[in-house]
Amino acid sequence: MLIIYFIMNKHEYKTDYFYFIVRPEKEDDKDVLIYCSGINVTRFLPMLRGRLGLGSNPVISGLQLVKYDLCTLAHSKGALPKEHYCNIRCAGNVPTRESWYTEPLLIENPGSLTPEEIVGFAVTGIIKKINAASLSDNKLPDDLPPAELQKHLEILCRPV
């Protein structure tokens, strides 16, 4: 399953492997962006065979690093990312019934930062992190069209 669409300023990129959703909202009459992201730990396990140390999972770390990179981008544009807020605004976004790790973020005063820009930044970031964590010679190209991403991930993460 691959879904990418833009509805009423909300931008989504979903596969069975990861998702990024950003939508504008108002909070106390101020503009904010709600960033919801998740990565399917179950589907990435074959790719990570033999790489899971104590308390360390490269795909979880990758999603965290993408969020921190996004915080840096937001700061550079004058926005204020807030890491700790209620995850309820991101409930119901997980595309499958497997094990997912999620990373929400609230961005206050987004200014020129758009949902589309954030999702594109996050997708590129997670692809780079997946490539870095992969033990396979099959790497995901940075400019991979969205419709092809699911197929490449299925090859990269297929059980041995």
Side-chain angles (χ1 to χ4, degrees):
M1 173 181 74
L2 176 68
I3 302 170
I4 184 167
Y5 55 92
F6 185 70
I7 298 176
M8 297 182 64
N9 296 330
K10 176 173 123 176
H11 199 74
E12 296 190 1
Y13 190 109
K14 286 185 180 182
T15 71
D16 291 342
Y17 293 85
F18 61 81
Y19 68 86
F20 296 99
I21 300 168
V22 180
R23 69 179 182 279
E25 288 189 7
K26 290 279 190 189
E27 186 172 278
D28 299 327
D29 290 328
K30 295 178 186 172
D31 290 333
V32 298
L33 294 175
I34 307 299
Y35 167 84
C36 305
S37 66
I39 197 150
N40 187 328
V41 178
T42 305
R43 296 248 176 152
F44 278 105
L45 284 176
M47 183 191 85
L48 302 172
R49 64 191 168 276
R51 300 250 349 241
L52 296 176
L54 293 175
S56 174
N57 184 314
V59 296
I60 290 173
S61 298
L63 192 64
Q64 291 169 337
L65 290 171
V66 167
K67 183 175 84 171
Y68 298 140
D69 291 345
L70 175 57
C71 289
T72 301
L73 174 67
H75 276 294
S76 76
K77 295 194 171 216
L80 181 61
K82 300 243 179 170
E83 243 189 290
H84 303 289
Y85 85 99
C86 186
N87 197 12
I88 196 78
R89 293 181 184 174
C90 291
N93 290 319
V94 175
T96 68
R97 293 186 177 260
E98 294 153 308
S99 295
W100 287 78
Y101 176 78
T102 61
E103 282 287 342
L105 185 67
L106 174 74
I107 302 173
E108 294 180 344
N109 189 32
S112 65
L113 199 56
T114 66
E116 184 175 23
E117 178 184 9
I118 292 170
V119 170
F121 179 86
V123 170
T124 299
I126 200 65
I127 288 172
K128 287 179 181 178
K129 308 289 190 247
I130 290 167
N131 281 339
S134 175
L135 295 175
S136 171
D137 291 334
N138 296 322
K139 302 294 183 190
L140 301 171
D142 288 342
D143 59 351
L144 193 64
E148 296 296 313
L149 183 60
Q150 181 85 17
K151 292 175 191 172
H152 282 277
L153 285 168
E154 287 169 358
I155 292 167
L156 185 66
C157 298
R158 75 175 158 240
V160 188

